[in-house]
């Protein structure tokens, strides 16, 4: 199959990528761009480990073809400086909201998306926002506490 070239912004830098048009965004992020904070779990949209921000909204990068990202603004945990994300990272550390850390990048993306859309979510809104992200370690309560802690007073 003919290679396709796309140009997109990743964490604020313009990147040009050429490859198989069937390539998934998550594979481009991890393999072509060597950005490993975005994880691969299920590859079927169920676990949320691959979540990134695309044009300001959270997206599961295993469900997107890289070619559909032409001109997009993609943000991952690697090198993205964002005030909401930083507040969340600080709160995740304070509440021990991770153990193995496999889900953490995706959780932070989902939580950042939530707090940008809804700066003062209640617990049910937090649970709904992270319902597409699986965590095998924490039982979710410390993650919910971290998101609550990151809400600006
Ligand atoms: S790897 Fe994308 S949702 Fe699980
Ligand atoms: S901290 Fe291990 S899967 Fe969430």
């Amino acid at each position: 199959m003919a290679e396709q070239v796309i140009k997109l912004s990743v964490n604020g830098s313009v990147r040009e990528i050429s490859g198989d048009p069937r390539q998934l965004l998550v594979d481009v992020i991890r393999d072509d761009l060597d950005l490993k904070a975005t994880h691969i779990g299920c590859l079927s949209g169920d676990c949320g480990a691959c979540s990134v921000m695309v044009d300001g909204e959270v997206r599961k990068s295993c469900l997107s073809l890289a070619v559909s990202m032409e001109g997009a603004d993609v943000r991952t945990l690697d090198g993205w400086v964002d005030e909401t994300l930083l507040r969340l990272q600080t709160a995740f550390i304070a509440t021990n909201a991770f153990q193995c850390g496999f889900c953490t990048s995706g959780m932070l993306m989902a939580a950042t998306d939530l707090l940008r859309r809804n700066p003062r979510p209640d617990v049910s809104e937090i649970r709904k926002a992270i319902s597409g992200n699986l965590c095998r370690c924490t039982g979710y309560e410390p993650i919910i506490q971290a998101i609550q802690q990151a809400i600006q007073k």
Side-chain angles (χ1 to χ4, degrees):
M1 190 168 287
E3 288 207 339
Q4 194 146 349
V5 180
I6 58 162
K7 204 186 267 191
L8 71 168
S9 169
V10 181
N11 296 333
S13 301
V14 176
R15 310 295 295 260
E16 196 171 278
I17 293 143
S18 63
D20 188 322
R22 294 167 298 185
Q23 248 186 323
L24 298 173
L25 176 60
V26 69
D27 291 328
V28 165
I29 288 170
R30 287 182 53 85
D31 300 337
D32 295 40
L33 301 178
D34 200 27
L35 299 174
K36 305 296 192 194
T38 304
H39 291 158
I40 294 176
C42 63
L43 275 180
S44 57
D46 295 320
C47 75
C50 66
S51 300
V52 297
M53 301 292 276
V54 176
D55 294 331
E57 291 182 4
V58 71
R59 172 113 46 121
K60 291 176 177 171
S61 59
C62 73
L63 296 182
S64 299
L65 290 174
V67 289
S68 68
M69 293 295 126
E70 174 66 38
D73 178 21
V74 177
R75 304 280 168 163
T76 77
L77 204 58
D78 320 78
W80 177 30
V81 181
D82 176 84
E83 196 269 325
T84 304
L85 175 61
L86 188 58
R87 257 195 352 262
L88 282 160
Q89 287 173 300
T90 304
F92 267 59
I93 292 167
T95 63
N96 293 318
F98 51 87
Q99 290 177 29
C100 78
F102 191 80
C103 69
T104 308
S105 170
M107 285 290 183
L108 286 167
M109 292 295 139
T112 300
D113 182 60
L114 170 66
L115 294 189
R116 286 172 146 200
R117 286 185 290 103
N118 177 3
R120 303 188 66 78
D122 61 25
V123 173
S124 67
E125 289 168 326
I126 293 172
R127 285 187 191 280
K128 187 171 176 206
I130 62 168
S131 62
N133 295 70
L134 302 182
C135 177
R136 289 172 182 262
C137 305
T138 64
Y140 298 97
E141 285 308 316
I143 294 171
I144 293 164
Q145 283 169 19
I147 297 170
Q148 287 178 304
Q149 199 172 101
I151 293 171
Q152 278 184 319
K153 307 290 180 249

